[in-house]
């Protein structure tokens, strides 16, 4: 047997190991807690938080479980919309195998790299962009004119909130959400985003907060 055959075998094995290592690198999970919402086949949305995520999968903590193989759509802060199927069930949530094009996976990988670097370098933007979905979502908007508008809180950060409502309010319009003075900073289909006149206290920033 010539020396060329073992050499080719070693080269083939090395290339295979390198490919597997590259695949693991590309799908390395990042332990990061991102708040979001997910939708199951019943078309209802529920709050969730990630435990870890890679371009190929994501594990979330949530209160409403799905079923193995069920398709789900997840909306996460910083990452946006992610689609996939439930691959594993756990007592506190489930893991999803992400369905995405190679381009989308590359984009997720880049965003995860940024998130990991942001955490390790202590870059700003940390708590300001964390969001919670309060248990008490129903709220009343009170305008300067005295008009009251029923609404629903989508999610809240220390500096503002996303509000679902039928009102078409102009930018910079002053209003009170519950008992919290705000101004309109953005409009979107079916609602608006407001900025609080004073940031919320971190001590009461959780799902039990009441605006």
């Amino acid at each position: 047997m010539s020396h060329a055959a073992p050499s080719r075998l070693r080269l083939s094995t090395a290339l295979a190991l390198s490919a597997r290592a590259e695949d693991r690198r590309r799908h390395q999970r990042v332990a990061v807690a991102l708040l979001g919402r997910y939708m199951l086949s019943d078309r209802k949305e529920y709050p969730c938080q990630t435990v870890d995520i890679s371009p190929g999968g994501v594990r979330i903590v949530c209160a409403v479980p799905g079923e193995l193989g069920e398709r789900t759509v997840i909306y996460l802060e910083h990452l946006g919309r992610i689609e996939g199927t439930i691959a594993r069930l756990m007592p506190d949530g489930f893991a999803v195998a992400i369905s995405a094009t190679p381009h989308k996976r590359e984009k997720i990988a880049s965003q995860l790299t940024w998130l990991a670097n942001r955490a390790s370098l202590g870059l700003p933007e940390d708590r300001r962009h964390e969001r919670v979905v309060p248990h008490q979502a129903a709220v009343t908007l009170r305008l300067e004119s005295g008009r009251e508008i029923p609404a629903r809180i989508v999610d809240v950060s220390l500096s503002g909130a996303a509000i679902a409502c039928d009102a078409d309010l102009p930018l910079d319009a002053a209003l009170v959400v519950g008992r919290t003075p705000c101004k309109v900073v953005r409009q979107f289909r079916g609602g608006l985003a407001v900025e609080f006149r004073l940031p919320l206290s971190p001590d009461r920033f959780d799902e039990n907060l009441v605006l």
Side-chain angles (χ1 to χ4, degrees):
M1 187 175 187
S2 69
H3 293 294
S7 296
R8 285 197 297 270
L9 181 59
R10 286 195 296 270
L11 179 59
S12 175
T13 302
L15 289 174
L17 291 173
S18 176
R20 284 199 291 269
E22 176 69 10
D23 185 65
R24 284 195 299 271
R25 184 192 67 78
R26 289 165 61 84
H27 290 84
Q28 183 177 359
R29 289 188 173 272
V30 176
V32 59
L34 301 179
L35 293 170
R37 303 184 299 279
Y38 66 100
M39 184 170 64
L40 298 174
S41 56
D42 61 6
R43 309 294 294 177
K44 294 181 180 178
E45 288 192 358
Y46 308 97
C48 67
Q49 181 171 303
T50 63
V51 176
D52 54 48
I53 184 170
S54 78
V58 57
R59 178 184 166 191
I60 65 172
V61 172
C62 57
V64 181
E67 298 181 359
L68 280 176
E70 183 176 4
R71 289 198 61 79
T72 181
V73 177
I74 307 173
Y75 298 90
L76 296 173
E77 60 177 351
H78 300 301
L79 296 182
R81 177 188 172 106
I82 292 175
E83 298 183 41
T85 55
I86 297 176
R88 192 166 78 255
L89 298 176
M90 286 158 288
D92 59 349
F94 53 80
V96 173
I98 295 175
S99 301
T101 63
H103 175 72
K104 175 68 172 179
R105 291 185 194 277
E106 288 291 343
K107 185 176 179 182
I108 293 174
S110 297
Q111 290 168 309
L112 290 176
T113 299
W114 178 81
L115 288 169
N117 289 339
R118 188 193 70 175
S120 63
L121 296 174
L123 296 178
E125 260 200 87
D126 39 37
R127 274 207 71 91
R128 181 177 175 86
H129 290 277
E130 292 182 20
R131 308 186 80 84
V132 299
V133 179
H135 296 310
Q136 185 172 318
V139 70
T140 299
L141 310 184
R142 294 178 176 84
L143 309 185
E144 288 185 314
S145 65
R147 178 187 173 195
E148 295 188 350
I149 303 167
R152 179 177 61 83
I153 299 172
V154 178
D155 53 33
V156 180
S157 74
L158 289 177
S159 57
I163 307 291
C165 64
D166 294 329
D168 183 16
L169 303 179
L171 293 179
D172 293 323
L175 71 160
V176 176
V177 177
R179 294 172 295 176
T180 307
C182 314
K183 69 174 181 178
V184 178
V185 294
R186 184 165 56 87
Q187 298 170 330
F188 56 86
R189 186 173 182 179
L192 47 88
V194 299
E195 182 178 87
F196 303 139
R197 295 296 184 184
L198 293 173
L200 299 179
S201 168
D203 296 336
R204 67 185 190 99
F205 187 67
D206 58 29
E207 290 84 357
N208 297 311
L209 71 83
V210 177
L211 294 181

